[in-house]
RNA sequence: GGCGCGGUACCCAAGUGGUAAGGGAGAGGUCUGCAAAACCUUUAUGCGCCGGUUCGAUCCCGGCCCGCGCCUCCA
């Protein structure tokens, strides 16, 4: 079965394919780099990441472009407040964004498109619209899109504009637009915008591109007039994506994107995340509170993308434990020696094969990550049981490892880089004088005074020696000492394994 | 007001017209010097409420209640 995805435009689940027979031409609306990314942002990018990875699992090559909006009202305002040019201001947050993406193991798209580097394409797209009188200039020098010239407007978000009256929710007095819903293509420069280098002198007049035109122009420039797939958060459906369709299709008279993918918003502790509710978290906030990057990734992926996810700290703890169980299992499969053949081989191998098939089928069914995850846990339990009974063969263990590899090619949580990620966040907090935002536990366990791996290894060796001499009091004292510092020990026939709590 | 989504065990969460996946947590047990890990047992005669269709509904239809999202910058 091939990968099938819900398409917002058609309202149906449809197979995903590359219309040019080579690579899936895929555009995803990226971040506006005016601040640090919050977990809601990353839920979207995380599911886009799963989409990428699932496509690869199906042998579908990608040409994935993501934009960076590096000029907009907030950037201009914040840059001005900081006395910086917009480029200087936004570069810092773009860097932070990619660091966060790395911390969450989110793959980079094939291409990154910055708005400020693609202004000429936006200008010429507006010119094409102006030639048809779909774009018009107002007295202040701004350009707008004439919505009533695009009959399909509303087809993505299923809005019936006939029933919407001008002025109902839009302030008509503010602009000299022809119709209230006409949206800006080009915003005339104001004096302070010229000062912060947020204005371009073009044939349209001095100004800067509107948000919507950026994505239309860049998507078509990098991927062609008609693309296979367009993605973003659910909020972008209207008006942003609707406007993109209008601009692009009005200019080319060709379908813009065949398939639209929208990721639903997450709730935090039952409410929409907002600064005023006090439930607004950046990735960095969570890392500095001591939550692991892997647990955050796993939690954000555990609920399928079309469902609302209620993000809670309890959920984060659950995910931490679930990831730990997977890692322990993965370790066991790799490190323990298994007999060549066992009587129980056949049924177990069959069960693993079934789990593998279910995993793939679940993902291909509109990226059902919850079901895919369950399939792996089913195998985990059965294989652990067999291992405990001594009936797990080398072959079955290898087959299990292959399934875990497949699982991790999507979920990407098995390799433990959490300590590294937390240390990076801690170093950043130190550099930015934000240590007051760091939990004391994180400072104790990951700060400069914390135990280095070699010190832990030395204590573990000392304890092993004490155990051999049956000096359990000393051995237990060392274990307790390490536990107090967040290091957990596990004895097994294969030796001692330690991990950070 | 318009459009849309959801209400499944203590918590999170899949799912199907034929009798409820998975994870986490709790309790009991096995193993272990003790732990940890792992495994076993256990936790929904019921899937918001009321009707209807059906041999049969948690899943289909209608109504109601509750929660949430979008309609404005927003992932």
């Amino acid at each position: 079965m091939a990968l099938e995805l819900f398409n917002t435009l058609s309202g149906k689940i449809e197979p995903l394919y590359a219309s040019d027979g080579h690579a899936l031409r895929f555009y995803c609306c990226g971040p506006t780099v005016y601040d640090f990314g919050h977990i809601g942002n990353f839920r979207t990018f995380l599911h886009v990441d799963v989409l990428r990875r699932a496509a690869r699992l199906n042998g579908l090559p990608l040409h994935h472009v993501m934009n960076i909006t590096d000029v907009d009202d907030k950037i201009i305002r914040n840059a001005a407040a900081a006395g910086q040019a917009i480029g200087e201001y936004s570069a810092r947050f773009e860097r932070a964004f990619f660091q966060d993406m790395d911390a969450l193991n989110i793959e980079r798209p094939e291409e990154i498109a910055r708005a400020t580097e693609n202004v000429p394409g936006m200008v010429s797209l507006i010119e094409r619209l102006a030639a048809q009188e779909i774009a018009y200039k107002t007295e202040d020098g701004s350009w707008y899109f004439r919505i009533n010239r695009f009959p399909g407007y509303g087809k993505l978000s299923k809005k019936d504009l006939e029933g919407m009256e001008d002025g109902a929710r839009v302030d008509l007095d503010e602009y000299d637009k022809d119709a209230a819903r006409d949206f800006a293509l080009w915003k005339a420069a104001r004096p302070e915008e010229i000062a912060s280098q947020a204005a371009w002198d073009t044939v349209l007049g001095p100004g800067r591109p509107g948000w919507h035109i950026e994505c239309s122009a860049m998507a078509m420039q990098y991927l062609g007039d008609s693309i296979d797939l367009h993605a973003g958060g659910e909020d972008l459906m209207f008006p942003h994506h609707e406007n993109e369709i209008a601009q692009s299709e009005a200019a080319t008279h060709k379908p813009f994107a065949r398939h639209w993918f929208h990721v639903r918003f997450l709730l935090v502790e039952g409410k929409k995340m907002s600064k005023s509710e006090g439930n607004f978290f950046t990735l960095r906030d969570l890392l500095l509170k001591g939550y692991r990057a892997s647990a955050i990734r796993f939690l954000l992926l555990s609920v399928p993308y079309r469902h609302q996810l209620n993000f809670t700290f309890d959920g984060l703890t659950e995910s931490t434990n679930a990831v730990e169980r997977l890692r322990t299992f993965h370790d066991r499969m790799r490190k323990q020696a298994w007999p060549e053949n066992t009587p129980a081989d056949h049924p177990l191998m069959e069960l693993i094969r079934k789990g593998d098939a279910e995993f793939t089928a679940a993902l291909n069914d509109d990226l059902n990550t919850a079901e895919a995850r369950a399939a792996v846990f089913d195998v985990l339990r059965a294989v652990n049981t067999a291992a405990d009974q001594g009936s797990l063969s080398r072959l079955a263990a290898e087959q299990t490892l292959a399934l875990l590899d497949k699982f991790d090619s999507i979920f990407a949580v098995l390799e433990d880089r959490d300590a590294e990620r937390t240390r990076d966040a801690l170093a950043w907090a130190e550099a930015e004088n934000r240590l007051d935002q760091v939990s004391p536990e994180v400072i104790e366990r990951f700060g400069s005074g914390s135990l280095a791996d070699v010190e832990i290894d030395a204590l573990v060796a000392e304890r092993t020696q004490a155990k051999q001499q049956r000096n359990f009091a000393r051995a237990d004292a060392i274990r307790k000492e390490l536990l107090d510092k967040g290091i957990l020990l596990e004895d097994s026939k294969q030796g001692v394994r330690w991990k950070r709590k």
Side-chain angles (χ1 to χ4, degrees):
Chain A
M1 193 178 87
L3 177 57
E4 298 196 323
L5 263 195
F6 182 79
N7 180 357
T8 310
L9 187 59
S10 68
K12 289 189 289 229
I13 291 179
E14 296 172 359
L16 203 60
Y17 61 93
S19 55
D20 68 1
H22 295 292
L24 189 82
R25 284 169 302 130
F26 172 29
Y27 185 88
C28 172
C29 290
T32 302
V33 282
Y34 67 95
D35 203 347
F36 295 105
H38 59 251
I39 52 176
N41 294 317
F42 291 116
R43 158 123 132 137
T44 298
F45 298 121
L46 238 10
H47 276 99
V48 167
D49 188 48
V50 164
L51 173 53
R52 275 186 65 86
R53 292 163 178 269
R56 183 175 320 120
L57 202 60
N58 280 277
L60 179 59
L62 288 159
H63 184 179
H64 172 191
V65 175
M66 181 177 75
N67 73 297
I68 300 283
T69 296
D70 53 0
V71 53
D72 95 312
D73 290 342
K74 281 187 208 125
I75 292 173
I76 291 166
R77 190 189 61 213
N78 294 359
Q84 293 177 323
I86 57 161
E88 195 183 341
Y89 178 84
S90 63
R92 175 175 169 232
F93 291 105
E94 183 184 317
R95 222 167 21 243
F97 174 75
F98 283 114
Q99 282 165 1
D100 290 348
M101 294 274 278
D102 289 345
L104 289 171
N105 281 347
I106 299 172
E107 293 181 355
R108 302 287 173 99
E110 277 67 38
E111 292 191 88
I112 300 295
R114 283 178 200 82
T116 55
E117 293 169 2
N118 289 280
V119 173
M122 300 168 201
V123 171
S124 58
L125 182 57
I126 296 170
E127 284 187 286
R128 284 172 78 180
L129 293 169
Q132 298 175 257
E133 289 180 356
I134 294 171
Y136 61 93
K137 192 175 188 175
T138 57
E139 266 176 40
D140 77 335
S142 294
W143 289 77
Y144 288 90
F145 184 96
R146 204 183 303 279
I147 277 185
N148 65 16
R149 286 287 306 279
F150 186 71
Y153 196 76
K155 66 183 175 185
L156 179 70
S157 53
K158 323 287 184 237
K159 286 191 191 307
D160 177 12
L161 293 195
E162 298 299 306
M164 292 186 189
E165 286 183 24
D166 281 358
R169 301 282 309 239
V170 184
D171 188 357
L172 256 182
D173 303 331
E174 199 181 332
Y175 308 104
D176 49 357
K177 295 188 279 189
D178 289 0
R181 288 203 169 264
D182 287 357
F183 56 89
L185 296 166
W186 186 258
K187 298 187 174 185
R190 289 177 302 207
E192 65 271 25
E193 290 168 0
I194 295 170
S196 55
Q197 296 170 31
W200 285 258
D201 204 7
T202 72
V203 294
L204 300 169
R208 63 191 166 89
W211 176 39
H212 313 299
I213 200 74
E214 286 177 19
C215 286
S216 279
M218 293 192 287
M220 293 196 288
Q221 197 167 315
Y222 284 76
L223 296 171
D225 288 353
S226 289
I227 69 175
D228 292 312
L229 178 67
H230 194 125
E234 64 165 329
D235 58 310
L236 298 186
M237 203 164 92
F238 186 89
H240 183 57
H241 289 163
E242 204 69 72
N243 292 351
E244 280 186 57
I245 292 172
Q247 293 160 339
S248 304
E249 298 190 355
T252 66
H253 303 285
K254 287 183 233 169
F256 175 47
R258 186 183 73 236
H259 205 127
W260 289 84
F261 176 83
H262 291 103
V263 180
R264 276 205 86 176
F265 266 6
L266 60 71
L267 263 36
V268 177
E269 302 287 350
K271 291 230 163 73
K272 181 171 169 172
M273 184 169 61
S274 73
K275 284 181 178 160
S276 56
E277 284 283 347
N279 63 353
F280 183 94
F281 298 107
T282 64
L283 176 67
R284 284 146 202 257
D285 289 336
L286 297 178
L287 292 177
L288 295 176
K289 280 176 187 291
Y291 294 101
R292 300 177 183 186
S294 62
I296 296 166
R297 178 177 171 103
F298 202 58
L299 176 59
L300 259 19
L301 291 182
S302 292
V303 176
Y305 76 95
R306 279 208 288 152
H307 290 238
Q308 213 164 43
L309 158 73
N310 185 14
F311 183 95
T312 63
F313 288 100
D314 285 349
L316 219 35
T317 304
E318 287 174 15
S319 291
T320 306
N321 294 340
V323 169
E324 202 50 50
R325 187 166 170 217
L326 287 161
R327 285 179 179 168
T328 302
F329 178 66
H330 186 226
D331 250 36
R332 182 181 198 187
M333 287 303 108
R334 280 190 305 181
K335 297 195 177 142
Q336 215 164 307
W338 310 102
E340 279 303 312
N341 293 295
T342 68
D345 249 11
H346 188 69
L348 192 60
M349 301 275 276
E350 196 45 51
L351 195 144
I352 298 165
R353 242 193 304 279
K354 189 167 153 270
D356 189 297
E358 281 172 0
F359 178 81
T360 308
L363 270 180
N364 284 352
D365 180 14
D366 199 22
L367 303 178
N368 192 335
T369 45
E371 234 180 62
R373 203 193 111 134
V376 170
F377 276 103
D378 278 334
V379 171
L380 179 151
R381 192 174 2 83
V383 170
N384 258 333
T385 303
D388 279 3
Q389 292 167 348
S391 61
L392 181 70
S393 70
R394 190 179 57 80
L395 213 62
E398 278 170 8
Q399 203 180 334
T400 303
L401 277 169
L403 172 58
L404 286 175
D405 273 355
K406 189 190 255 192
F407 162 83
D408 214 44
S409 74
I410 303 292
F411 284 88
V413 293
L414 292 181
E415 191 193 348
D416 186 354
R417 299 182 66 181
D418 291 322
E420 184 188 330
R421 263 77 211 241
T422 303
R423 281 199 194 95
D424 288 347
L426 185 57
W428 167 78
E430 267 176 311
E432 295 243 337
N433 277 321
R434 289 172 184 249
L435 282 176
D436 55 317
Q437 292 166 23
V438 184
S439 82
E441 225 175 38
V442 168
I443 292 179
E444 191 193 319
R445 290 186 189 166
F446 299 96
S448 50
S450 64
L451 281 180
D453 289 7
V454 285
E455 296 174 278
I456 296 167
D457 288 338
L459 281 165
V460 167
E462 190 191 335
R463 173 172 170 275
T464 303
Q465 202 176 18
K467 266 179 60 180
Q468 277 161 1
Q469 294 160 355
R470 301 197 71 76
N471 182 356
F472 294 121
R474 176 65 190 141
D476 290 352
I478 293 171
R479 185 168 64 194
K480 177 75 172 36
E481 182 191 337
L482 285 169
L483 185 64
D484 289 345
K485 290 177 175 164
I487 310 297
L488 211 65
L489 262 45
E490 273 175 33
D491 294 335
S492 76
K493 290 191 177 99
Q494 284 70 43
V496 185
R497 173 172 180 244
W498 64 262
K499 60 190 182 190
R500 289 192 163 82
K501 258 206 312 198

